[in-house]
Amino acid sequence: MRKPLLALAVAAFGIGTTEFIIMGLLPDLARDFSVSIPKAGTLVSAYALAVTIGSPLLVLALAKVDRKNALILLMTLFILGNTACALAPTFSLLLTARILTALMHGAFFGIGSIVASNVVPRDQRARAVAIMFSGLTLANVLGVPAGTALGQAFGWRAAFVAIVPIGLIAAFGVWRLVPHQHSEPVHLKHELKSVMRRGVLTTLAISTMSSIAMFCVLTYITPILEDVTHISPHGVTGVLVLFGVSITVGNLLGGIMADWKGIQAVAFGFIALAILFVLMPVAEEHIPSTLIAIAIWGMLHFAVGAPLQTRVVDQARGAQNLASTLNQGAFNLGNALGAALGAIVLTHGLGYRSLALASSVVAALTAALTLLAMVWERTDRMKSDARLRMHAG
């Protein structure tokens, strides 16, 4: 059972590295193609939009394909996309290659989450999804810093060249280690009806709001650390590594908590985050308290990822592939909205300290929505039990 999860985690590591590495290479890319930094930034936003909009369409196109074969096809797309990025002669072609790569991102995590859930006992599904997603979190600790350093030393194209072998290893691992899983019969009308259920839509909203709360601060973490906490640029790199380690630990703990407490663990996580964000402006005044706050923040925020991914699959009976992929799109949509919220706060002159307070409001609203989802779920269960008793009588 562990070997398929290892193969999926290696693939997740490669996907996470190629998603986030672009941020460290933006100045080099802008200079090489003679474009402005904002225009180079469209490589980030276009990737997120392609995951949000394009991945569900790709999943529908692969709906009748065996899940193992679908994952191999998606990793092939990953290899081709990164090869095209490394060879792109113009900015427009690089942007096209990034969009091509992004299409497989949400689809792979969507289908891969179901595959991971199906290779373990039911009471270990969230843990299995967390193991797969550990590759994504480790990419922030190892892959992105190493790839950025490689790109800065030998040119940005070298970073993408280095990602291609990771894709090849992941594709081979999926081929050798992941068992075949037959796809479910697909009827578009039924799929859309399934993902429109209240439980699915609520989970998608929670996932989006979770990312908004996170990226409102994370997008501007470097200037916060340099201008508010007065940490050197070299020290900022160390703090980001600490954050990467904490999200990796939180991701694994979240899988264990979700298998034990389910949606209750998610509600607790957002309540704790709302409190932490209120305290963060004070913590940012001193380096030790900042390091503690960032470590706790990373663990708490990524502890809710695997539970939400597992929950959306549970809620979308009959449309698991599509719902699971839509949840990845929801996370990416939240990334963009969180950055936009932070920009609004800063352009109104409220300062970097206010970003955490804005995130606290979003986290509190997310906790409230999660608690409301628990009430709805309990009410629906009581109604279902009542109907069963009535029919039995």
mmCIF file of all heavy atoms in Angstrom, residues 21-29 31 144-160 237:
data_model
loop_
_atom_site.group_PDB
_atom_site.id
_atom_site.type_symbol
_atom_site.label_atom_id
_atom_site.label_comp_id
_atom_site.label_asym_id
_atom_site.label_seq_id
_atom_site.Cartn_x
_atom_site.Cartn_y
_atom_site.Cartn_z
ATOM 1 N N ILE A 21 8.514 27.268 -8.676
ATOM 2 C CA ILE A 21 9.880 27.689 -9.008
ATOM 3 C C ILE A 21 9.885 28.963 -9.843
ATOM 4 O O ILE A 21 10.843 29.741 -9.816
ATOM 5 C CB ILE A 21 10.619 26.557 -9.755
ATOM 6 C CG1 ILE A 21 12.121 26.802 -9.696
ATOM 7 C CG2 ILE A 21 10.137 26.432 -11.200
ATOM 8 C CD1 ILE A 21 12.933 25.648 -10.241
ATOM 9 N N ILE A 22 8.800 29.199 -10.568
ATOM 10 C CA ILE A 22 8.741 30.350 -11.468
ATOM 11 C C ILE A 22 8.902 31.666 -10.710
ATOM 12 O O ILE A 22 9.433 32.646 -11.234
ATOM 13 C CB ILE A 22 7.420 30.331 -12.267
ATOM 14 C CG1 ILE A 22 7.546 31.179 -13.540
ATOM 15 C CG2 ILE A 22 6.255 30.782 -11.428
ATOM 16 C CD1 ILE A 22 8.362 30.544 -14.618
ATOM 17 N N MET A 23 8.441 31.697 -9.441
ATOM 18 C CA MET A 23 8.503 32.938 -8.665
ATOM 19 C C MET A 23 9.952 33.366 -8.413
ATOM 20 O O MET A 23 10.273 34.551 -8.433
ATOM 21 C CB MET A 23 7.752 32.766 -7.353
ATOM 22 C CG MET A 23 6.279 32.445 -7.540
ATOM 23 S SD MET A 23 5.439 32.026 -6.008
ATOM 24 C CE MET A 23 3.858 31.433 -6.648
ATOM 25 N N GLY A 24 10.833 32.405 -8.178
ATOM 26 C CA GLY A 24 12.234 32.725 -7.944
ATOM 27 C C GLY A 24 12.994 33.062 -9.212
ATOM 28 O O GLY A 24 14.095 33.615 -9.150
ATOM 29 N N LEU A 25 12.420 32.719 -10.371
ATOM 30 C CA LEU A 25 13.102 32.938 -11.645
ATOM 31 C C LEU A 25 12.558 34.138 -12.410
ATOM 32 O O LEU A 25 13.068 34.444 -13.506
ATOM 33 C CB LEU A 25 12.977 31.682 -12.530
ATOM 34 C CG LEU A 25 13.545 30.376 -11.955
ATOM 35 C CD1 LEU A 25 13.240 29.223 -12.898
ATOM 36 C CD2 LEU A 25 15.044 30.486 -11.715
ATOM 37 N N LEU A 26 11.559 34.826 -11.876
ATOM 38 C CA LEU A 26 10.910 35.915 -12.605
ATOM 39 C C LEU A 26 11.885 37.005 -13.084
ATOM 40 O O LEU A 26 11.818 37.419 -14.249
ATOM 41 C CB LEU A 26 9.800 36.540 -11.752
ATOM 42 C CG LEU A 26 8.429 35.851 -11.769
ATOM 43 C CD1 LEU A 26 7.425 36.658 -10.968
ATOM 44 C CD2 LEU A 26 7.926 35.641 -13.183
ATOM 45 N N PRO A 27 12.788 37.498 -12.228
ATOM 46 C CA PRO A 27 13.711 38.540 -12.712
ATOM 47 C C PRO A 27 14.556 38.075 -13.890
ATOM 48 O O PRO A 27 14.762 38.826 -14.858
ATOM 49 C CB PRO A 27 14.570 38.852 -11.480
ATOM 50 C CG PRO A 27 13.731 38.436 -10.319
ATOM 51 C CD PRO A 27 12.979 37.235 -10.786
ATOM 52 N N ASP A 28 15.049 36.830 -13.847
ATOM 53 C CA ASP A 28 15.871 36.300 -14.937
ATOM 54 C C ASP A 28 15.050 36.157 -16.209
ATOM 55 O O ASP A 28 15.522 36.469 -17.312
ATOM 56 C CB ASP A 28 16.462 34.943 -14.544
ATOM 57 C CG ASP A 28 17.376 35.041 -13.330
ATOM 58 O OD1 ASP A 28 18.139 36.009 -13.257
ATOM 59 O OD2 ASP A 28 17.303 34.160 -12.464
ATOM 60 N N LEU A 29 13.806 35.672 -16.060
ATOM 61 C CA LEU A 29 12.937 35.519 -17.219
ATOM 62 C C LEU A 29 12.623 36.873 -17.854
ATOM 63 O O LEU A 29 12.660 37.025 -19.087
ATOM 64 C CB LEU A 29 11.636 34.828 -16.802
ATOM 65 C CG LEU A 29 11.722 33.331 -16.515
ATOM 66 C CD1 LEU A 29 10.505 32.859 -15.745
ATOM 67 C CD2 LEU A 29 11.822 32.567 -17.828
ATOM 68 N N ARG A 31 14.302 39.615 -17.730
ATOM 69 C CA ARG A 31 15.499 40.175 -18.365
ATOM 70 C C ARG A 31 15.805 39.463 -19.688
ATOM 71 O O ARG A 31 16.139 40.110 -20.695
ATOM 72 C CB ARG A 31 16.685 40.054 -17.410
ATOM 73 C CG ARG A 31 17.955 40.712 -17.894
ATOM 74 C CD ARG A 31 18.991 40.813 -16.788
ATOM 75 N NE ARG A 31 19.217 39.544 -16.103
ATOM 76 C CZ ARG A 31 18.790 39.266 -14.863
ATOM 77 N NH1 ARG A 31 18.101 40.163 -14.186
ATOM 78 N NH2 ARG A 31 19.046 38.096 -14.315
ATOM 79 N N VAL A 144 12.061 23.715 -4.784
ATOM 80 C CA VAL A 144 12.055 25.115 -5.216
ATOM 81 C C VAL A 144 13.372 25.822 -4.896
ATOM 82 O O VAL A 144 13.950 26.483 -5.773
ATOM 83 C CB VAL A 144 10.849 25.865 -4.611
ATOM 84 C CG1 VAL A 144 10.919 27.348 -4.930
ATOM 85 C CG2 VAL A 144 9.542 25.270 -5.143
ATOM 86 N N PRO A 145 13.889 25.721 -3.650
ATOM 87 C CA PRO A 145 15.190 26.377 -3.393
ATOM 88 C C PRO A 145 16.315 25.840 -4.277
ATOM 89 O O PRO A 145 17.119 26.614 -4.810
ATOM 90 C CB PRO A 145 15.449 26.066 -1.913
ATOM 91 C CG PRO A 145 14.097 25.807 -1.335
ATOM 92 C CD PRO A 145 13.322 25.144 -2.418
ATOM 93 N N ALA A 146 16.357 24.511 -4.470
ATOM 94 C CA ALA A 146 17.418 23.925 -5.290
ATOM 95 C C ALA A 146 17.268 24.340 -6.750
ATOM 96 O O ALA A 146 18.258 24.697 -7.411
ATOM 97 C CB ALA A 146 17.389 22.398 -5.177
ATOM 98 N N GLY A 147 16.038 24.312 -7.246
ATOM 99 C CA GLY A 147 15.801 24.694 -8.633
ATOM 100 C C GLY A 147 16.090 26.162 -8.880
ATOM 101 O O GLY A 147 16.644 26.535 -9.922
ATOM 102 N N THR A 148 15.724 27.005 -7.910
ATOM 103 C CA THR A 148 15.993 28.441 -8.045
ATOM 104 C C THR A 148 17.490 28.709 -8.069
ATOM 105 O O THR A 148 17.986 29.495 -8.891
ATOM 106 C CB THR A 148 15.338 29.215 -6.884
ATOM 107 O OG1 THR A 148 13.925 28.986 -6.909
ATOM 108 C CG2 THR A 148 15.594 30.703 -7.013
ATOM 109 N N ALA A 149 18.217 28.040 -7.172
ATOM 110 C CA ALA A 149 19.675 28.207 -7.145
ATOM 111 C C ALA A 149 20.302 27.728 -8.450
ATOM 112 O O ALA A 149 21.221 28.373 -8.990
ATOM 113 C CB ALA A 149 20.263 27.438 -5.965
ATOM 114 N N LEU A 150 19.803 26.618 -8.977
ATOM 115 C CA LEU A 150 20.312 26.090 -10.242
ATOM 116 C C LEU A 150 20.050 27.072 -11.382
ATOM 117 O O LEU A 150 20.925 27.331 -12.214
ATOM 118 C CB LEU A 150 19.650 24.743 -10.549
ATOM 119 C CG LEU A 150 20.102 24.024 -11.821
ATOM 120 C CD1 LEU A 150 21.554 23.571 -11.675
ATOM 121 C CD2 LEU A 150 19.202 22.821 -12.086
ATOM 122 N N GLY A 151 18.825 27.642 -11.393
ATOM 123 C CA GLY A 151 18.466 28.595 -12.435
ATOM 124 C C GLY A 151 19.282 29.869 -12.371
ATOM 125 O O GLY A 151 19.672 30.434 -13.403
ATOM 126 N N GLN A 152 19.559 30.321 -11.154
ATOM 127 C CA GLN A 152 20.351 31.544 -10.992
ATOM 128 C C GLN A 152 21.809 31.323 -11.376
ATOM 129 O O GLN A 152 22.491 32.237 -11.847
ATOM 130 C CB GLN A 152 20.235 32.032 -9.551
ATOM 131 C CG GLN A 152 18.846 32.556 -9.200
ATOM 132 C CD GLN A 152 18.683 32.835 -7.720
ATOM 133 O OE1 GLN A 152 19.482 32.411 -6.891
ATOM 134 N NE2 GLN A 152 17.615 33.558 -7.369
ATOM 135 N N ALA A 153 22.303 30.093 -11.183
ATOM 136 C CA ALA A 153 23.709 29.799 -11.484
ATOM 137 C C ALA A 153 23.934 29.497 -12.962
ATOM 138 O O ALA A 153 24.943 29.921 -13.541
ATOM 139 C CB ALA A 153 24.183 28.621 -10.634
ATOM 140 N N PHE A 154 23.004 28.765 -13.592
ATOM 141 C CA PHE A 154 23.219 28.303 -14.968
ATOM 142 C C PHE A 154 22.154 28.789 -15.950
ATOM 143 O O PHE A 154 22.119 28.324 -17.094
ATOM 144 C CB PHE A 154 23.257 26.764 -14.992
ATOM 145 C CG PHE A 154 24.349 26.171 -14.158
ATOM 146 C CD1 PHE A 154 24.068 25.657 -12.899
ATOM 147 C CD2 PHE A 154 25.652 26.148 -14.616
ATOM 148 C CE1 PHE A 154 25.078 25.103 -12.118
ATOM 149 C CE2 PHE A 154 26.664 25.604 -13.842
ATOM 150 C CZ PHE A 154 26.385 25.092 -12.591
ATOM 151 N N GLY A 155 21.291 29.693 -15.504
ATOM 152 C CA GLY A 155 20.233 30.176 -16.388
ATOM 153 C C GLY A 155 18.914 29.497 -16.072
ATOM 154 O O GLY A 155 18.888 28.322 -15.681
ATOM 155 N N TRP A 156 17.827 30.228 -16.264
ATOM 156 C CA TRP A 156 16.517 29.711 -15.859
ATOM 157 C C TRP A 156 16.111 28.448 -16.608
ATOM 158 O O TRP A 156 15.367 27.613 -16.081
ATOM 159 C CB TRP A 156 15.443 30.791 -16.036
ATOM 160 C CG TRP A 156 15.244 31.260 -17.457
ATOM 161 C CD1 TRP A 156 15.841 32.316 -18.069
ATOM 162 C CD2 TRP A 156 14.374 30.676 -18.435
ATOM 163 N NE1 TRP A 156 15.408 32.428 -19.368
ATOM 164 C CE2 TRP A 156 14.502 31.442 -19.625
ATOM 165 C CE3 TRP A 156 13.501 29.599 -18.429
ATOM 166 C CZ2 TRP A 156 13.790 31.156 -20.790
ATOM 167 C CZ3 TRP A 156 12.784 29.298 -19.584
ATOM 168 C CH2 TRP A 156 12.932 30.070 -20.750
ATOM 169 N N ARG A 157 16.623 28.274 -17.844
ATOM 170 C CA ARG A 157 16.261 27.073 -18.606
ATOM 171 C C ARG A 157 16.770 25.801 -17.923
ATOM 172 O O ARG A 157 16.137 24.748 -17.996
ATOM 173 C CB ARG A 157 16.815 27.167 -20.024
ATOM 174 C CG ARG A 157 16.214 28.302 -20.850
ATOM 175 C CD ARG A 157 16.796 28.340 -22.265
ATOM 176 N NE ARG A 157 16.379 29.549 -22.959
ATOM 177 C CZ ARG A 157 15.228 29.695 -23.606
ATOM 178 N NH1 ARG A 157 14.374 28.683 -23.634
ATOM 179 N NH2 ARG A 157 14.929 30.827 -24.213
ATOM 180 N N ALA A 158 17.909 25.912 -17.234
ATOM 181 C CA ALA A 158 18.479 24.744 -16.549
ATOM 182 C C ALA A 158 17.531 24.222 -15.476
ATOM 183 O O ALA A 158 17.480 23.007 -15.217
ATOM 184 C CB ALA A 158 19.831 25.110 -15.944
ATOM 185 N N ALA A 159 16.776 25.126 -14.829
ATOM 186 C CA ALA A 159 15.837 24.706 -13.786
ATOM 187 C C ALA A 159 14.755 23.808 -14.369
ATOM 188 O O ALA A 159 14.387 22.781 -13.774
ATOM 189 C CB ALA A 159 15.224 25.938 -13.126
ATOM 190 N N PHE A 160 14.236 24.181 -15.542
ATOM 191 C CA PHE A 160 13.196 23.365 -16.163
ATOM 192 C C PHE A 160 13.755 22.059 -16.713
ATOM 193 O O PHE A 160 13.090 21.018 -16.676
ATOM 194 C CB PHE A 160 12.499 24.161 -17.267
ATOM 195 C CG PHE A 160 11.587 25.233 -16.755
ATOM 196 C CD1 PHE A 160 11.957 26.567 -16.802
ATOM 197 C CD2 PHE A 160 10.361 24.907 -16.192
ATOM 198 C CE1 PHE A 160 11.119 27.557 -16.315
ATOM 199 C CE2 PHE A 160 9.517 25.894 -15.708
ATOM 200 C CZ PHE A 160 9.896 27.217 -15.769
ATOM 201 N N THR A 237 15.378 33.575 3.522
ATOM 202 C CA THR A 237 15.442 32.248 2.892
ATOM 203 C C THR A 237 15.319 31.149 3.945
ATOM 204 O O THR A 237 14.599 30.160 3.759
ATOM 205 C CB THR A 237 16.764 32.087 2.120
ATOM 206 O OG1 THR A 237 16.869 33.124 1.146
ATOM 207 C CG2 THR A 237 16.827 30.734 1.432
#
